[in-house]
Amino acid sequence: MTGPKAPKDAEKKRKSFYVMRNKEVAGSVQPDGTGTQFIYLNDSRLVSFAKIVGGIEDEEMLNLLTTAEGFRKLVFSMGVTVEMEDPQQAVQFVFQMYGRRDTYGSGTTVRVPVKADGMERIIRLEDVEWSEDDDIPGQIRFEFPKADMQARVAVRFLLQDGFDAPEPEEEGTVDFECPEYQVMLQKSLLQTGNVLRLKRAMEKARRGEDVTVAFIGGSITQGAGAIPINTQCYAWKTFERFCRLCGRGTEENIRYVKAGVGGTSSELGMVRYDRDVCEDGKIKPDLVIVEYAVNDEGDETKGHCYDSLVRKIYLSEQKPAVILLFAVFAYDWNLQERLAPVGEAYELPMVSIKDCVVEQFYKKAGAGRVLTKNQFFYDIYHPSNYGHTVMADAIEYLLKAADGQPEEGREPDISEKPAPYSAEFAQIRLMDREHIPAAAVVPDCGDFGEKDEELQAVERDRNLFTTPEFPWNWKHSSGSRPFVMDIVCSALVIVAKDSGSPEAGCAEACVDGEKVRVINPREAGWTHCNALILFRGQEKKQHHVEIRMCPGDEEKQFTILGFGYVE
């Protein structure tokens, strides 16, 4: 066999760093049956990838990654590697710049097929025709011909001349049997609390009676970062561990409810709990794990909604056990200090993933470190499969600790305990277009008469398909007539749709003739549910509510997803 007569010159060896390394990806279901894995780069995500995965500390280089112009000044080419069982399979690698004028439509999209044989494909930036409207690096996508296909991928940036990067650190396999891992789990047990309800649920399962284990939280509870999302997420892994510890086998007599919604706080959780977890009374959970420690920065009340949600669950008819779970972001942050006082006051079991993993991140391999940040995190916000496993193991550690305690004493009556923050929203209920209570009348929905079907959708329970949130809504597309409602309540929360579309417009909410707030659906920049308080602490009486488009936005879109009201 002879080689080519005129082989190309070897590519110049360049300094480089990884932004994805040995990462599992899987195609989530798209409307056309294909599968796509989205990796977002905006909101400092790319900078964090460079720090955590690539080991970049140079502030100039990190700042260059925050703009399209800086990105092209720093990066010479991108190297992409894809590995699958079938090495002949091709996957579409997509790199997208977000645009200034239209976030998703006016920036450059680079699309390159990459063979899944483990060979690196080099994409030279000088070969790309870049848009003048490019604003920031927006996202990476791996597009599969069919949904549910999986691959292991790597993405590295090869640098322009004059820039330097450290050699990548070697990572070994994670040893979940080592003594250091047991030390981590011990540290995760923030508080055992009063375990009587938890032991009751466990014994009920052992007797073969029907038991429901439920999870409510944000994107981590939804399963973000887990590949595949339905069986590698911490919620399902925790459920499996509960079944092994207490049941007769997975799902034989134990029911699983997963109700995580990405990018949302306990302010929305308290509104949707009855619908998404309890199915409006059809499901009565025996154990509920609550995970909002990395989402509740978006809670306007800074703890009151979380307190109310926990009380709402604990005081419900079934008297479920409640575990408070505190996840962590890659920059070692969560709201544990804000939220833990709720668990302390109500004597609830609490698990801290921050206490479990952060300290050992900064130790050396062989000197106490079990896994690196790159191994624990999928991105700066979400755990990888390893991370989800650690979270499930930490909850199992709590379950075993509770199981070993004697069943004595009395469970706390938290209805008699003062709320650390507030119980104001503990009796909140959901109202939407399909479920209008006797306390409310909608005499005229004005120009908000359409139904929006482009909604945030999430993988519930063990499903790989997604379910739209708040499908019974009121959508505005054109016109100036307001949505009008009269409702008897003491507090009112509106759930509005956020959107990245340039067609979305602002609306103003008026209560009893006074403007209480302007709602801008484009602040978040993506399609998701946003709960906002219109009023609280009012006398229980009839209030007149109007939602109208702001002047100049009458021909733009706005969707009222629903309301949460306290009678």
Side-chain angles (χ1 to χ4, degrees):
M1 180 177 180
T2 59
K5 292 182 179 178
K8 291 180 65 176
D9 291 338
E11 184 75 26
K12 175 182 176 180
K13 184 173 176 61
R14 294 182 175 275
K15 292 288 187 177
S16 67
F17 65 88
Y18 286 94
V19 292
M20 298 185 69
R21 184 183 178 199
N22 295 324
K23 289 295 183 184
E24 298 287 341
V25 297
S28 57
V29 181
Q30 302 303 300
D32 61 358
T34 60
T36 301
Q37 176 76 60
F38 296 88
I39 298 99
Y40 297 100
L41 306 178
N42 59 325
D43 295 335
S44 300
R45 290 179 174 93
L46 181 54
V47 169
S48 295
F49 286 147
K51 289 179 178 179
I52 295 168
V53 187
I56 301 300
E57 298 179 355
D58 185 288
E59 289 298 327
E60 179 191 0
M61 293 173 63
L62 295 173
N63 286 334
L64 289 172
L65 291 172
T66 63
T67 66
E69 182 182 4
F71 181 85
R72 295 195 295 270
K73 181 178 178 181
L74 174 68
V75 179
F76 178 82
S77 60
M78 296 181 287
V80 184
T81 306
V82 178
E83 293 181 78
M84 298 175 67
E85 288 186 7
D86 180 3
Q88 300 305 312
Q89 181 68 61
V91 174
Q92 293 289 325
F93 169 80
V94 181
F95 179 88
Q96 182 177 1
M97 289 287 187
Y98 285 168
R100 295 184 185 89
R101 177 174 47 83
D102 179 354
T103 301
Y104 304 111
S106 61
T108 302
T109 297
V110 180
R111 182 183 301 273
V112 177
V114 179
K115 204 171 180 180
D117 58 2
M119 295 293 291
E120 186 176 51
R121 173 74 185 270
I122 300 296
I123 304 164
R124 293 162 56 102
L125 269 59
E126 64 183 21
D127 295 336
V128 176
E129 186 175 341
W130 299 97
S131 167
E132 293 182 358
D133 199 53
D134 287 341
D135 186 19
I136 60 172
Q139 60 178 260
I140 286 171
R141 299 194 297 272
F142 289 91
E143 298 178 348
F144 297 85
K146 295 188 299 182
D148 307 337
M149 298 180 75
Q150 297 183 36
R152 182 180 295 273
V153 302
V155 178
R156 70 181 179 121
F157 293 162
L158 289 81
L159 303 178
Q160 300 277 11
D161 294 339
F163 293 102
D164 196 8
E167 289 297 318
E169 181 183 7
E170 289 299 321
E171 294 179 325
T173 57
V174 179
D175 183 2
F176 289 115
E177 303 299 325
C178 68
E180 292 82 0
Y181 187 58
Q182 292 305 308
V183 173
M184 289 173 57
L185 297 181
Q186 290 170 15
K187 291 180 179 180
S188 74
L189 183 52
L190 190 62
Q191 174 176 292
T192 307
N194 187 298
V195 299
L196 292 182
R197 286 195 177 189
L198 189 51
K199 289 180 68 70
R200 185 188 309 149
M202 296 165 75
E203 291 305 318
K204 185 178 177 183
R206 287 179 176 131
R207 291 194 299 269
E209 299 176 37
D210 291 340
V211 168
T212 297
V213 179
F215 302 80
I216 185 169
S219 56
I220 295 176
T221 294
Q222 185 180 336
I227 306 297
I229 196 170
N230 62 335
T231 58
Q232 291 298 317
C233 62
Y234 89 85
W236 177 255
K237 291 181 176 184
T238 299
F239 176 74
E240 288 183 310
R241 285 154 174 73
F242 184 91
C243 290
R244 287 199 298 266
L245 187 62
C246 310
R248 299 180 176 182
T250 300
E251 296 186 284
E252 185 173 330
N253 65 302
I254 306 175
R255 182 172 186 170
Y256 172 67
V257 176
K258 183 185 74 169
V261 177
T264 64
S265 68
S266 59
E267 191 168 342
L268 181 72
M270 67 183 187
V271 175
R272 65 182 183 86
Y273 175 78
D274 290 331
R275 182 198 65 188
D276 287 358
V277 174
C278 301
E279 292 188 6
D280 296 319
K282 295 177 184 177
I283 297 174
K284 295 180 170 59
D286 299 273
L287 168 60
V288 182
I289 290 88
V290 181
E291 177 267 316
Y292 278 110
V294 292
N295 280 66
D296 256 21
E297 191 63 27
D299 168 22
E300 298 172 282
T301 67
K302 307 305 179 187
H304 295 236
C305 290
Y306 183 81
D307 194 346
S308 295
L309 171 62
V310 172
R311 288 179 72 99
K312 178 183 182 72
I313 299 169
Y314 192 89
L315 294 174
S316 59
E317 178 185 355
Q318 187 74 359
K319 297 183 177 180
V322 179
I323 294 174
L324 305 185
L325 175 63
F326 304 133
V328 67
F329 281 162
Y331 42 93
D332 306 339
W333 176 90
N334 70 9
L335 288 169
Q336 185 172 311
E337 289 187 9
R338 180 200 290 178
L339 305 183
V342 175
E344 292 166 0
Y346 303 149
E347 302 176 48
L348 300 177
M350 296 190 288
V351 173
S352 170
I353 305 305
K354 179 180 178 180
D355 290 1
C356 177
V357 300
V358 168
E359 182 183 358
Q360 64 87 48
F361 284 148
Y362 299 97
K363 296 180 179 180
K364 299 292 185 181
R369 191 183 73 198
V370 177
L371 75 173
T372 66
K373 277 193 176 183
N374 181 51
Q375 290 172 318
F376 181 88
F377 288 102
Y378 191 86
D379 57 26
I380 61 172
Y381 300 127
H382 308 111
S384 64
N385 285 0
Y386 279 146
H388 279 278
T389 296
V390 172
M391 293 180 70
D393 286 347
I395 299 172
E396 182 185 33
Y397 187 87
L398 165 64
L399 295 174
K400 290 180 176 178
D403 203 24
Q405 290 195 9
E407 190 167 340
E408 58 187 19
R410 297 170 55 187
E411 66 182 52
D413 181 3
I414 74 169
S415 64
E416 300 296 324
K417 288 178 174 283
Y421 292 104
S422 169
E424 181 178 0
F425 299 101
Q427 301 303 318
I428 198 165
R429 299 178 183 178
L430 170 64
M431 167 190 161
D432 59 22
R433 189 170 186 161
E434 188 74 2
H435 307 90
I436 298 178
V441 177
V442 182
D444 185 6
C445 62
D447 290 316
F448 292 74
E450 300 177 39
K451 186 185 291 185
D452 198 336
E453 296 184 353
E454 187 179 332
L455 304 169
Q456 182 176 11
V458 299
E459 297 87 353
R460 290 189 187 166
D461 305 332
R462 202 182 172 187
N463 300 329
L464 273 172
F465 63 84
T466 57
T467 300
E469 287 287 309
F470 297 93
W472 306 108
N473 54 66
W474 295 272
K475 179 184 177 181
H476 174 279
S477 290
S478 177
S480 59
R481 293 189 302 133
F483 170 93
V484 177
M485 174 176 69
D486 293 296
I487 184 167
V488 177
C489 61
S490 61
L492 185 67
V493 175
I494 186 173
V495 183
K497 173 188 168 182
D498 281 335
S499 173
S501 170
E503 302 303 315
C506 297
E508 58 184 35
C510 298
V511 178
D512 299 329
E514 294 186 12
K515 184 168 73 173
V516 295
R517 73 185 306 156
V518 172
I519 305 169
N520 181 359
R522 298 195 66 193
E523 281 185 358
W526 61 293
T527 301
H528 94 304
C529 314
N530 191 12
L532 299 164
I533 296 171
L534 296 186
F535 63 85
R536 59 186 291 204
Q538 299 276 337
E539 176 188 354
K540 180 184 174 182
K541 65 176 185 178
Q542 180 170 291
H543 295 276
H544 182 73
V545 179
E546 293 189 8
I547 312 294
R548 65 178 72 247
M549 299 305 293
C550 290
D553 282 359
E554 292 88 351
E555 300 306 308
K556 291 196 172 184
Q557 299 173 1
F558 186 91
T559 300
I560 303 168
L561 297 172
F563 296 92
Y565 68 99
V566 180
E567 283 190 304

